[in-house]
Amino acid sequence: MTTTTDPTSEGSRSMNDAHRVLVLNSGSSSLKYQLLDMRDRSRLATGLVERIGEASSRLVHTPAAGGGTRERTGRIADHEQALKAAAEELAADGLGLDSPELAAIGHRVVHGGLRFSEPTVITDEVLKEIERLVPVAPLHNPANITGIRTAQALRPDLPQVAVFDTAFHTTMPEHAARYAIDVETADAHRIRRYGFHGTSHAFVSRRAAELLGRPVADVNVIVLHLGNGASASAVAGGRCVETSMGLTPLEGLVMGTRSGDIDPAVTFHLKRVAGMSADEIDVLLNKKSGLVGLCGDNDMREIRRRVDEGDERAALAFAVYIHRLKKYIGAYAAVLGRVDAVVFTAGIGENSAPVRAAAVAGLEGFGLAVDAERNAVRSGEPRLISPDGARVAVAVIPTDEELEIAGQTFALVHN
């Protein structure tokens, strides 16, 4: 039911004035932030603090109103300092966190378990549950928690909303979410497949339907989110039915520093034969594997440069990366039964034409192909890179996790 208020009333002015959302994406060593005006979904300012905890920390802040990008360098010790520095930059543009126009702060939280399938206003109990999930997201949930606590200290009166990476994947059927281990043990320790990058997969799968000019409910999409972290999803009619990451973000595709799929017995072997501890194996698989483990680089641009120069280790790393991608495309085609589009997104997916071409090469039997000229175009706009008349559309759709988080946050606090 729609209610109408007197536009001259104080309550109405307060509601109308509070139209901004600050989005915080606290990574393990970075903080991304965006301030958005939800009246037209425009950005008022964006920023990135990277290499937190290192001597070479850097803050890059860009106001949408002009004035140019500003940069700070020098050690930023932790996420608390990073957020305070970001708040200072926003205040310098007249966009301070004390503004009555700020409706809420939306936080990306990586792991929400099974309890959180929707955006959620953060309470003490919600924060405790996020903390309980730290063991299954040790690289991310602690940083997310720090961002939440720091934001709460800066604006304790303001709604703080958690938008969970795992939420979009809670629609997976039980047979896709379950591991084939003892049910009592799995349930006791909450061991199941949760999936991650959910805000990106939700945003991109909807944009894919728009690009095809069809209702979301009628479109089956394979989304390939390829960044330093990488994941695939099979989305049927707007609902995730399968995704590559599992209990943690370690499972699935080859990533920048993560192994992706691996025989679980490798961990036992390393303990028994190499004498490695559980913590050492954790570091190996999460931080010293993937592309960096195979060739010493996790930057796809550098890997492609080395491949072009004949570097055998780089060529092997690229081949392993592409092989895993193709396996998932084929598997998800089987899960969906009918594929309307395969979509590339995130840093590598949006910017690496060689990755897109190689991932699709040889899959003509699945109806997949890319047009070389279209694939070579660099653009920030959603676009098709498949030939005219292709049975399955191949697309590049820039992800916008911050806009997705802002939209979900604003909708929740204005309900």
Side-chain angles (χ1 to χ4, degrees):
M1 182 177 72
T2 302
T3 59
T4 303
T5 60
D6 178 357
T8 64
S9 71
E10 185 60 32
S12 176
R13 286 200 301 275
S14 175
M15 175 69 76
N16 291 335
D17 286 346
H19 54 258
R20 296 176 182 170
V21 173
L22 176 66
V23 174
L24 298 180
N25 184 343
S26 300
S28 54
S29 62
S30 66
L31 173 70
K32 295 179 184 177
Y33 62 91
Q34 291 193 14
L35 183 65
L36 297 99
D37 186 328
M38 299 312 295
R39 292 174 299 185
D40 59 3
R41 298 164 69 87
S42 63
R43 285 166 177 77
L44 301 173
T46 65
L48 167 66
V49 187
E50 58 185 349
R51 298 191 290 273
I52 295 172
E54 300 180 19
S56 58
S57 304
R58 184 175 71 132
L59 184 156
V60 179
H61 175 87
T62 306
T69 295
R70 300 192 299 271
E71 184 174 324
R72 295 189 191 190
T73 57
R75 179 175 170 78
I76 296 175
D78 52 30
H79 286 75
E80 182 176 353
Q81 282 193 14
L83 183 53
K84 288 180 177 177
E88 290 172 4
E89 293 296 332
L90 288 166
D93 298 323
L95 302 169
L97 300 192
D98 58 350
S99 170
E101 296 177 270
L102 190 59
I105 299 177
H107 298 265
R108 178 203 179 199
V109 178
V110 166
H111 213 309
L114 281 182
R115 176 172 172 181
F116 301 113
S117 59
E118 302 287 343
T120 303
V121 174
I122 298 168
T123 62
D124 289 344
E125 181 54 38
V126 168
L127 197 52
K128 287 177 184 176
E129 183 64 20
I130 295 170
E131 288 176 325
R132 291 187 195 106
L133 291 162
V134 164
V136 288
L139 297 178
H140 298 91
N141 270 31
N144 302 154
I145 292 165
T146 300
I148 291 167
R149 286 180 171 153
T150 304
Q152 286 176 327
L154 289 175
R155 281 297 305 268
D157 60 312
L158 204 64
Q160 312 269 338
V161 175
V163 178
F164 298 92
D165 269 17
T166 48
F168 181 65
H169 304 302
T170 58
T171 57
M172 279 194 297
E174 193 70 0
H175 60 258
R178 281 279 180 183
Y179 289 111
I181 65 171
D182 172 67
V183 171
E184 287 74 20
T185 300
D187 289 348
H189 300 285
R190 297 190 286 191
I191 298 171
R192 62 186 290 118
R193 303 185 64 250
Y194 294 98
F196 300 89
H197 295 145
T199 52
S200 177
H201 288 279
F203 180 89
V204 169
S205 57
R206 286 201 312 273
R207 291 296 183 274
E210 291 174 9
L211 186 63
L212 297 179
R214 295 169 59 183
V216 171
D218 293 345
V219 176
N220 288 356
V221 185
I222 297 173
V223 178
L224 302 173
H225 176 107
L226 308 180
N228 192 49
S231 61
S233 68
V235 183
R239 295 170 59 86
C240 177
V241 296
E242 177 62 282
T243 193
S244 59
M245 287 178 166
L247 173 71
T248 76
L250 182 60
E251 186 180 354
L253 302 175
V254 175
M255 299 173 232
T257 64
R258 299 178 207 147
S259 64
D261 291 339
I262 192 168
D263 182 345
V266 169
T267 59
F268 314 144
H269 181 78
L270 290 172
K271 181 175 175 58
R272 293 168 182 156
V273 176
M276 295 177 69
S277 68
D279 286 345
E280 288 172 328
I281 296 170
D282 191 321
V283 170
L284 172 68
L285 296 181
N286 276 293
K287 297 184 177 180
K288 297 182 179 180
S289 296
L291 292 171
V292 79
L294 288 166
C295 72
D297 270 313
N298 64 334
D299 186 322
M300 186 57 72
R301 294 164 297 187
E302 181 63 15
I303 292 170
R304 283 302 313 173
R305 183 191 65 77
R306 288 172 56 186
V307 169
D308 292 341
E309 292 178 354
D311 186 306
E312 293 184 0
R313 284 189 63 189
L316 175 62
F318 187 78
V320 172
Y321 185 91
I322 295 300
H323 178 71
R324 190 77 57 84
L325 266 179
K326 286 188 175 183
K327 284 176 64 176
Y328 271 89
I329 292 171
Y332 286 3
V335 167
L336 289 169
R338 186 198 82 244
V339 180
D340 298 302
V342 173
V343 183
F344 292 87
T345 193
I348 295 172
E350 293 169 27
N351 296 300
S352 180
V355 165
R356 297 191 296 260
V360 172
L363 299 182
E364 291 82 7
F366 289 84
L368 292 165
V370 298
D371 179 279
E373 186 174 338
R374 291 176 178 175
N375 190 37
V377 172
R378 294 184 66 89
S379 170
E381 297 298 319
R383 60 199 184 277
L384 293 175
I385 59 171
S386 46
D388 292 338
R391 178 156 52 92
V392 178
V394 181
V396 180
I397 298 179
T399 191
D400 198 331
E401 294 174 273
E402 285 76 18
L403 180 57
E404 181 72 13
I405 292 168
Q408 292 190 27
T409 296
F410 192 71
L412 179 62
V413 300
H414 276 261
N415 272 347

